[in-house]
Amino acid sequence: MFSFDPSAYGPAAARLLAEERLPPLGPGRPNAAVRAELEALTIDSLFEPGRAKDRDMANACISGLWLYHDYLDRSHTISQSIRTTTGSYWHGVMHRREPDFDNSRYWFHRVGEHPIFAALADAARRIAASAGPIDKAAWLTRVKGWDPFRFIDLCAACYANDDADQRVCRRVGLEEWRLLFDYSHRRAIE
């Protein structure tokens, strides 16, 4: 089981990840308290100078941090310039959060099968199983492989609700963010 430790990603990321933020299914409210810190963020301030070997993956981390703090436009600007499946993944998550579900589907078609999908399916199953009574999200308790399109549909169905299904979507969204950030960070320094 994956364990997310913000301190594993260096001091800049640890500060920006110190507060757990459960992502809304919509755009959320930008976290003004960290805007200046996000504005100052560069590859060299996020990673030790010279440590980031893959600039696209390093920028994916930066895009993810903007998204984590609900600055969707800034995340979008960065992710759309990353021409990799992981850049498309960040782009798809951002559009799912807008919510622009059709555009999210487009970007997830470009992702294909991503390396985090197996761990995400496991996490979603665990989250859904511990959620108590759920309706629309019940299929997650039985999921074997990750289907990003079915998850987009679930988020769309739960978007306007404030219930257990929506909370499951949000918890799965946070775990997805963590897995994708970890993957991007590891690939940046390899």
Side-chain angles (χ1 to χ4, degrees):
M1 184 170 80
F2 174 72
S3 177
F4 187 76
D5 177 10
S7 67
Y9 308 104
R15 282 190 307 276
L16 289 165
L17 299 171
E19 174 191 351
E20 181 178 277
R21 297 176 56 83
L22 192 59
L25 294 189
R29 299 183 72 111
N31 183 4
V34 298
R35 182 169 182 121
E37 198 168 350
L38 287 167
E39 291 282 355
L41 202 58
T42 65
I43 290 173
D44 283 339
S45 68
L46 183 58
F47 299 88
E48 292 174 21
R51 188 163 183 222
K53 308 288 189 241
D54 186 325
R55 295 186 71 78
D56 279 339
M57 290 298 102
N59 278 320
C61 291
I62 293 172
S63 175
L65 288 167
W66 281 100
L67 185 63
Y68 188 77
H69 290 283
D70 299 335
Y71 287 95
L72 275 62
D73 287 342
R74 287 299 290 272
S75 176
H76 182 256
T77 297
I78 297 166
S79 67
Q80 73 180 354
S81 69
I82 303 169
R83 309 251 187 264
T84 67
T85 57
T86 299
S88 294
Y89 200 133
W90 283 112
H91 201 159
V93 171
M94 188 284 311
H95 281 298
R96 191 179 71 216
R97 290 264 322 269
E98 274 183 315
D100 183 348
F101 301 115
D102 288 337
N103 211 350
S104 181
R105 284 183 195 89
Y106 169 82
W107 287 100
F108 273 100
H109 276 293
R110 294 183 66 145
V111 171
E113 186 68 28
H114 198 275
I116 73 162
F117 280 179
L120 182 54
D122 290 344
R125 207 170 32 255
R126 186 181 70 255
I127 290 165
S130 67
I134 51 177
D135 179 32
K136 295 178 185 86
W139 64 272
L140 289 172
T141 63
R142 301 176 304 278
V143 69
K144 296 204 184 332
W146 189 246
D147 183 343
F149 305 102
R150 193 165 180 195
F151 187 64
I152 291 167
D153 292 342
L154 177 62
C155 290
C158 296
Y159 177 74
N161 304 336
D162 183 16
D163 60 13
D165 288 302
Q166 187 194 71
R167 288 187 292 280
V168 165
C169 288
R170 293 178 69 193
R171 295 291 323 164
V172 170
L174 176 60
E175 195 65 17
E176 177 184 45
W177 186 95
R178 288 173 170 172
L179 287 163
L180 190 57
F181 185 82
D182 179 74
Y183 176 85
S184 299
H185 194 275
R186 283 185 292 109
R187 293 299 177 265
I189 61 176
E190 287 183 343

